[in-house]
Amino acid sequence: MSETLVVRGGTVIDGTGNEPFEADVALRDGRIAAVGRGLPKGDQEIDARGKLVTPGFVDIHTHYDAQVTWSNRIDPSSWNGVTTVLIGNCGVGFAPCLPERRDMLIKLMEGIEDIPEVVLTEGLPWNWQTFPEFLDRLGERQFDVDVGTQVPHSAVRVHAMGARGAAREPATEADRAAMAAIVAEGVKAGALGFSTSRTIAHKTLAGELVPTL
């Protein structure tokens, strides 16, 4: 038997651009069932008077690429009303990746996002190589938010070209074909898109520019 939760008397900002309005919000089986004033009493009630009631926020620029592999809590975003995060931004991430190229991707994330190398080295399980395998590993986990992914260009370039990619050498026709196939495979597997970076501010701690520059 389903139960009803009523969030009572809050200021509703519904995300449509409408003016805020005071209302009750009833939820049944995890879905909004009704919005209005004076809704019937629910099996559970939350007094939201003086508080905002909003849809969950979508954070389209995060770097939880490592955290999603070891933690079920995607904090601090999930502490602050975020219910969906997008990873793989700025062209950096950890898939696809061959075992011998893990250090390259760790150094990129350490420098660009100031995440300590030791945290990444100790925390990443590396139980994938391809991007679809990375998505499979995430699919086996549970999170307190929804997680969307992008195929990160630096990882793709290093995967296809190795040290030549990291050193920003020109890609050959064969390199470009390989990278295109990797991106297509990732999107087909469920990535929402592709990300890259051309900013000179993105560097490793050693001062090396990103492979995608």
Side-chain angles (χ1 to χ4, degrees), residues 7-61:
V7 182
R8 182 79 64 186
T11 300
V12 176
I13 300 176
D14 64 10
T16 66
N18 290 333
E19 290 295 317
F21 58 95
E22 185 175 306
D24 306 329
V25 179
L27 298 95
R28 183 176 294 109
D29 299 327
R31 294 181 178 274
I32 295 175
V35 178
R37 291 178 178 270
L39 295 183
K41 182 176 176 59
D43 298 295
Q44 300 180 59
E45 300 229 348
I46 295 175
D47 183 356
R49 287 174 296 180
K51 297 180 174 62
L52 299 178
V53 180
T54 75
F57 300 139
V58 179
D59 192 339
I60 63 171
H61 193 127

Side-chain angles (χ1 to χ4, degrees), residues 18 32 51 56 92 106 111 163 178 196 202 205:
N18 290 333
I32 295 175
K51 297 180 174 62
V92 292
I106 286 176
T196 190
H202 284 166
L205 289 186

